[in-house]
């Protein structure tokens, strides 16, 4: 089967591929200017510190999707408008944050897929604590670097 493009609805993709895909049940909010996006996964694990998120999104994205495991914490934002603008400039397709973002209005105007649990105007630490390109598990779904992720308003699918 050929790879679907970013416009293929996740419902149609799941109907076609079924158990080849994991479905994230956690209800992420669509906060970016693009609600449908896809790409190979890159990962960051961090808690209340977005130094690594900023570093990764300031590098060439090549159409990838950054999945950030912030532990589901909403106490500080792990991405705002300036980091998201850098992601756009560097060719990232999207960002999925298991945590909070800020600058919602600005994020909605950027051509970037953004899914997060919510928002908080409080900025995070900048020490760079955490890990990059590690296997993450969020809501029982495994996110491996290089796996394909597909997202739209219906949800998020990830290849096994």
């Amino acid at each position: 089967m050929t790879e679907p493009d970013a416009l293929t609805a996740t419902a149609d993709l799941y109907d076609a591929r079924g158990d080849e895909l994991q479905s994230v049940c956690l209800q992420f909010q669509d906060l970016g200017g693009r609600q449908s996006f896809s790409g190979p996964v890159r990962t960051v694990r961090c808690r209340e510190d977005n130094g690594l998120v900023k570093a990764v999104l300031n590098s060439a994205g090549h159409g990838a999707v950054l999945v950030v495991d912030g532990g589901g914490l909403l106490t500080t934002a792990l991405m705002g408008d300036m980091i998201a603008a850098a992601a756009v400039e560097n060719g990232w397709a999207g960002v999925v944050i298991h945590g909070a973002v800020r600058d919602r209005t600005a994020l909605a105007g950027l051509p970037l897929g953004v899914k997060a649990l919510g928002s908080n105007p409080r900025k995070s630490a900048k020490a760079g604590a955490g890990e990059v390109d590690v296997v993450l598990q969020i809501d029982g779904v495994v996110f491996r670097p290089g796996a394909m992720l597909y997202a739209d308003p219906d949800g998020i699918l990830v290849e096994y």
Side-chain angles (χ1 to χ4, degrees), residues 16 50 61-62 69 80 87 105 115 142 144:
N50 73 351
H62 305 290
D69 183 2
T105 301
K115 285 187 176 278
V142 176
R144 287 183 176 80

Side-chain angles (χ1 to χ4, degrees), residues 39-88:
V41 169
R42 295 275 316 271
T43 65
V44 169
R45 179 182 291 125
C46 59
R47 301 291 188 275
E48 299 181 336
D49 184 323
N50 73 351
L52 289 177
V53 175
K54 180 178 180 179
V56 172
L57 292 175
N58 272 294
S59 68
H62 305 290
V65 176
L66 182 63
V67 178
V68 180
D69 183 2
L73 301 174
L74 300 174
T75 51
T76 63
L78 295 175
M79 186 179 76
D81 61 342
M82 294 184 347
I83 295 174
V88 171

Side-chain angles (χ1 to χ4, degrees), residues 83-95:
I83 295 174
V88 171
E89 290 175 23
N90 288 302
W92 290 85
V95 183

Side-chain angles (χ1 to χ4, degrees), residues 1 10-11 17 28 45 48 53 65 70-71 84 87 91 102 129 131 148 154-155 159:
M1 174 176 208
T10 56
R17 298 188 49 197
F28 283 86
R45 179 182 291 125
E48 299 181 336
V53 175
V65 176
R102 67 186 205 166
E131 301 173 278
M148 283 298 294
D154 279 341
E159 287 183 342

Side-chain angles (χ1 to χ4, degrees), residues 110-131:
L110 291 172
L112 180 70
V114 178
K115 285 187 176 278
L117 297 180
S119 60
N120 187 332
R122 184 178 180 205
K123 65 182 179 180
S124 68
K126 312 286 185 225
E131 301 173 278

